[in-house]
Every structure is written in structure tokens, then in C-alpha cells.
Amino acid sequence: MYEEKLLPRHPPVFQEWFRRVFSDPYGWYQARSAYIRTTAVMSMVGYILGLGDRHGENISFDSTNGDSVHVDFNCLFNKGESFEWPERVPFRLTHNMEAAMGPLKHEGMFRKSCEAVMRALRAQTAALMSVIGPFVYDPLVSWGRARPMDCGERTNEQALQHLIHIRQRLNGLVSTV
């Protein structure tokens, strides 16, 4: 139904925006490349951190250089999995976004950029985990269901589980639950 009914009624138009806004060939190529690379970075970082709630209003595009700019980071640490309609995708990549990547779509520069980002994140796992670790102890971070803390308890078990999941994703382990 998606391919037969919806796609013909809603064809991708984002690639036309790139052609219209960046009319000279060099500018178009630079902007499209910046879009692909920044989308790959945010897709991989978002996947590792469990960033959810990615929709058209939370992903913006810089009309001066083509960069993909994400906003609203309230749905971190796989919070989207606990929604009434749980999120099931690791990051947002619509047919419209993919069409703007050119004829190779996600198999070209996007894939190569994702691979480079994951190599960089894996190489810096210790540094990344040292930045994320303090969130376990932050009383302002919501980790899901509220429960009273014991006087001596300084961490949240759910927060520790999220850190384990982040480390697993960095190591290439994917949870299918």
C-alpha cells in the first residue's frame, strides 16, 4: 500500500529544494555533501544516545550551507520506546531525505559517513562514556517511571541499564526487543 498508494501521492521533493536554493553546481554539490554528512553524524550519534522523537519539526536544514540541524533533545536514552506507540527505528531517514542524497541514496556518501562516525565514536568510547556517565547521578534527568530513592541510593538502575545499552551499541550489539 505504501509504494502503490502513498508514494505516488507524496513524491520526494527535497532534492528539488537543493536544486532551487543552491543553483550553481559547485554550491549544490557542497550543500548536498554537507547535508549528507551532517545527517549521518546526527543519525549515528542519535542512535548511540537513543535520541527519539525525530520528525520534520525536530530536524531542520540550514539554507546557507545544507547542514542538517537537530533540535529538541528531550527524548534521549531510548525514552521513545516507552511511548504509547513505541518508536521502533534507530534514526529518521525518510524517502524524501534519502532522495535528496542523490542516485546512490543511503548507499553512497551517507553509508561511508555513518561508518566513519561510528569508527570515531568507537575510538573515543571512554571519553564519550565519561561525558554520559554523570547523567546517572543527575537528579534533573528523567529516566522513566518515578520511584522513591533510598537515602543511600545515588544512582538509578534504569540509568545504569541505559549506559550499558549505549556501550553495547558502541560495540556493535543491537537489541531487537
Side-chain angles (χ1 to χ4, degrees), residues 94-107:
T94 66
H95 73 289
N96 204 17
M97 293 171 68
E98 192 178 53
M101 294 180 181
L104 295 177
K105 300 184 184 202
H106 68 275
E107 291 294 342

Side-chain angles (χ1 to χ4, degrees), residues 135-136 143 155-164:
F135 284 104
V136 172
W143 291 101
T155 65
N156 179 323
E157 282 302 314
Q158 193 174 11
L160 292 173
Q161 274 303 117
H162 286 298
L163 290 182
I164 291 169

Side-chain angles (χ1 to χ4, degrees), residues 123-132:
Q124 297 298 320
T125 296
L128 181 62
M129 295 307 289
S130 71
V131 171
I132 297 170

Side-chain angles (χ1 to χ4, degrees), residues 142-149 156 158:
S142 169
W143 291 101
R145 68 181 195 282
R147 61 179 181 86
M149 289 178 41
N156 179 323
Q158 193 174 11

Side-chain angles (χ1 to χ4, degrees), residues 13-22 31 61-64 66:
V13 295
F14 195 32
Q15 72 275 13
E16 294 302 323
W17 179 82
F18 270 100
R19 280 195 278 278
R20 206 172 47 251
V21 172
F22 306 100
F61 301 96
D62 189 333
S63 62
T64 62

Side-chain angles (χ1 to χ4, degrees), residues 81-136:
E81 291 177 356
S82 63
F83 290 168
E84 182 180 349
W85 296 94
E87 292 188 343
R88 299 177 191 269
V89 296
F91 54 87
R92 187 68 55 207
L93 188 62
T94 66
H95 73 289
N96 204 17
M97 293 171 68
E98 192 178 53
M101 294 180 181
L104 295 177
K105 300 184 184 202
H106 68 275
E107 291 294 342
M109 188 187 301
F110 180 76
R111 177 182 291 273
K112 292 292 184 189
S113 297
C114 287
E115 292 169 358
V117 170
M118 288 304 289
R119 276 192 304 275
L121 290 172
R122 286 181 178 140
Q124 297 298 320
T125 296
L128 181 62
M129 295 307 289
S130 71
V131 171
I132 297 170
F135 284 104
V136 172

